[in-house]
Structures are given as C-alpha cells and as structure tokens.
C-alpha cells in the first residue's frame, strides 16, 4: 500500500449486512452469519497487518436479543465456535483480547470462552482486539456511572475528581478514543456503538455487506480515512487567517 496512507490507532467496525447478504443469495440468515464470521477472521488479521493497534468489533448489541430465539441461539453457537478456533490462535500472535458488554443474559458457554480468552491473552503486549458482545453504548455509560458512584460512596474518589479522562477509565475497557468507525451494509447510523469513544471518530458507511467486505475494501476505507481532515474543533493549519 501507498506509504502516504494515514493509519488510525483505533478502528471500530459495526459488522452489518449478514442477513441481507444471505437473502440476496437465497440462503438462510444463519448462512449469512457464518459467512460474516469467516470474513471477520480475515479482516482482524488484515487490520493488524496494516499497523492498526486497536480494533473494536461490534458483533452483538444489547438490542439484538430482540431477534428470534433461533437466530440468537445460532449466533451464540457461532461465537463459541469462533472463540474456540480462530480467536484462540490470536494468543500466539501477541494479541490481547478484551470484551465489552454486559454478561447477563449471555449463555454460560459463551461466558466461559470469553473468560478464557481474556485470561489467556491478558499479558499480551501487541494489538488489542475489543469484542463488543451484548454491548450497548447507553449500557456502558450507565455501568460506568454506577461504578463511579460506588467509588465516591466508598471515598475512593471525590466527586470533584470526575472529568473526561477519569470517566473513560470506568468504561468496560480503558481504550484510546475511536479514530475511524466503519459500518458496512449501507445503513447510516451508529446503533448504540461506542457512543462515548466515537465522539470525534471519522465515520464511513460503505454499501458492501459484511461478508463481502474484504481486504481490498478495508484498504479502500483507509484511503478514505487518509483524505479526511480531522480538526477536533480547531481550525485548519493552512487557513488561520481571520
Ligand atoms: C450483522 O448482520 C450481524 C449482527 C447484528 C449480529 P445483520 O444480521 O444485522 O444483517 P442484516 O442487517 O439483517 O442484513
Ligand atoms: C448493529 O446492527 C449491531 C451489530 C452490528 C452487532 P443491527 O443490524 O442490529 O442494527 P439496526 O437494528 O439495523 O440499527
Ligand atoms: Mg443489521
């Protein structure tokens, strides 16, 4: 790839369009999810090979429990399978795997694998893979607020200590802000993903359904990111005249 490409530190991907990918091919939604899981494995590897330090993937929202029992069960089965097979391999690649989301009501076998991956990779010092499962941005902010309240009541911190930096540390994981947020499938919304962390993220909404969002599509996303002018509320350096 061109060396003038800017590499974001933290990329988030909202994995979307598995169902429509399958529908277009006359396949079941489950087959779409299977194809999505297969592609996710490739995209994770590719992302890290491009020098991105942290990758957050949104694979199941708190709201996704509204789907049919059949679909939810299939997804949970797929998570266990992928965690056992593909994700376990990341341990030897020095990747630290962390999870964001509420435990309840995730099934026991999913939670067991999540704990195992967390423990097995906790001392890894390379890339960070943050898997958002049973995750909601609202839930995360509420859960952080509860933890802060507890620490204030126990005199661990004082209410005056609370600022943006401290608040971030009470989120599910202490990660850098999101630089680049990609949502596949053409939907142009955030759907409760990393509301706190995405405050200044560049947003990108390719039309491709996730199972087809391959390495080339990811590289195209990086070209788009490179073209963005990030200002963080300031002004463009070259145009400082009043
Ligand atoms: C994304 O694909 C996977 C999950 C949300 C778990 P969808 O299942 O949302 O696919 P569409 O949006 O119906 O195409
Ligand atoms: C968002 O996708 C959640 C995940 C990708 C895990 P959805 O497909 O659930 O979102 P909506 O319902 O279209 O907003
Ligand atoms: Mg969807």
């Amino acid at each position: 790839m061109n060396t003038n490409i800017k590499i974001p530190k933290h990329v988030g991907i909202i994995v979307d369009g598995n169902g429509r990918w399958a529908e277009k091919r006359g396949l079941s939604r489950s087959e779409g999810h299977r194809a999505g899981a297969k592609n996710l494995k490739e995209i994770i590897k590719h992302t890290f090979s491009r020098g991105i330090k942290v990758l957050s993937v949104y694979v199941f929202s708190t709201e996704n429990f509204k789907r049919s029992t059949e679909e939810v069960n299939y997804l949970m089965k797929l998570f266990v399978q992928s965690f056992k097979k593909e994700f376990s391999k990341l341990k030897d690649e020095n990747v630290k795997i962390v999870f964001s989301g509420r435990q309840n009501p995730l099934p026991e076998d999913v939670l067991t694998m999540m704990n195992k991956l967390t423990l097995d990779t906790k001392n890894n010092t390379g890339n960070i893979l943050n898997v958002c499962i049973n995750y909601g941005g609202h839930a995360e902010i509420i859960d952080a607020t509860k933890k802060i309240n507890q620490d204030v009541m126990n005199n661990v911190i004082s209410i005056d200590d609370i600022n943006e930096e401290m608040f971030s540390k009470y989120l599910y994981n202490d990660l850098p802000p999101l630089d680049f947020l990609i949502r596949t499938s053409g939907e142009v919304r955030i759907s409760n993903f990393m509301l706190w962390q995405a405050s200044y993220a560049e947003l990108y909404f390719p039309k491709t359904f996730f199972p087809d969002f391959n390495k080339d599509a990811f590289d195209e996303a990086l070209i788009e990111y490179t073209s963005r002018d990030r200002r963080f509320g300031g002004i463009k350096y070259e145009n400082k005249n009043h």
Side-chain angles (χ1 to χ4, degrees):
M1 255 191 116
N2 188 319
T3 45
N4 291 326
I5 287 290
K6 274 197 272 177
I7 300 295
K9 186 170 182 188
H10 185 181
V11 171
I13 303 180
I14 302 177
V15 167
D16 199 16
N18 292 349
R20 280 163 286 163
W21 179 91
E23 195 173 81
K24 214 174 77 182
R25 288 166 175 73
L27 302 172
S28 65
R29 291 186 62 83
S30 297
E31 283 168 300
H33 291 315
R34 192 145 38 117
K38 193 162 162 243
N39 188 47
L40 184 60
K41 163 186 101 178
E42 299 299 329
I43 284 296
I44 292 170
K45 267 195 275 177
H46 185 65
T47 303
F48 292 150
S49 81
R50 286 287 179 232
I52 288 143
K53 166 89 180 159
V54 186
L55 174 67
S56 290
V57 289
Y58 196 16
V59 297
F60 197 90
S61 69
T62 47
E63 292 77 25
N64 286 148
F65 274 110
K66 290 181 196 159
R67 297 189 181 191
S68 72
T69 318
E70 195 192 356
E71 182 167 355
V72 170
N73 286 348
Y74 183 81
L75 281 165
M76 294 300 150
K77 206 175 80 184
L78 201 56
F79 293 142
V80 174
Q81 266 174 19
S82 307
F83 291 166
K84 279 193 178 149
K85 217 169 143 227
E86 309 304 338
F87 284 55
S88 293
K89 289 185 194 149
L90 297 170
K91 181 187 169 187
D92 300 326
E93 319 250 325
N94 201 20
V95 175
K96 181 174 173 168
I97 304 178
V98 296
F99 291 89
S100 293
R102 283 186 178 160
Q103 298 209 336
N104 189 32
L106 287 173
E108 211 44 56
D109 54 351
V110 175
L111 290 171
T112 305
M113 273 318 294
M114 285 164 60
N115 280 334
K116 182 167 165 38
L117 288 173
T118 308
L119 281 176
D120 285 354
T121 66
K122 76 174 193 326
N123 294 322
N124 281 355
T125 53
N127 296 107
I128 298 174
L129 175 64
N130 173 36
V131 185
C132 300
I133 176 165
N134 192 22
Y135 174 87
H138 282 173
E140 179 169 37
I141 292 169
I142 285 171
D143 291 350
T145 308
K146 286 182 177 170
K147 281 187 257 169
I148 290 173
N149 189 44
Q150 236 164 24
D151 278 357
V152 170
M153 297 218 296
N154 294 329
N155 291 317
V156 178
I157 56 165
S158 133
I159 201 145
D160 298 323
D161 296 335
I162 304 169
N163 56 26
E164 285 88 336
E165 204 190 329
M166 163 162 296
F167 196 92
S168 301
K169 298 201 187 309
Y170 280 87
L171 297 170
Y172 293 132
N173 289 289
D174 188 11
L175 300 170
L178 202 56
D179 297 303
F180 192 32
L181 170 50
I182 303 170
R183 180 183 188 142
T184 55
S185 90
E187 301 298 350
V188 185
R189 56 179 170 266
I190 293 180
S191 301
N192 207 10
F193 182 59
M194 296 198 120
L195 299 180
W196 177 276
Q197 299 88 337
S199 59
Y200 266 101
E202 292 299 326
L203 310 179
Y204 180 60
F205 300 100
K207 293 220 175 341
T208 323
F209 296 137
F210 187 73
D212 289 333
F213 188 74
N214 58 17
K215 294 175 193 177
D216 288 346
F218 186 86
D219 287 347
E220 240 175 80
L222 288 181
I223 292 168
E224 172 63 29
Y225 177 79
T226 302
S227 76
R228 301 285 178 91
D229 174 25
R230 301 190 77 191
R231 300 191 193 179
F232 301 98
I235 49 169
K236 238 177 134 162
Y237 181 71
E238 311 91 78
N239 188 15
K240 283 204 299 195
N241 296 333
H242 290 279

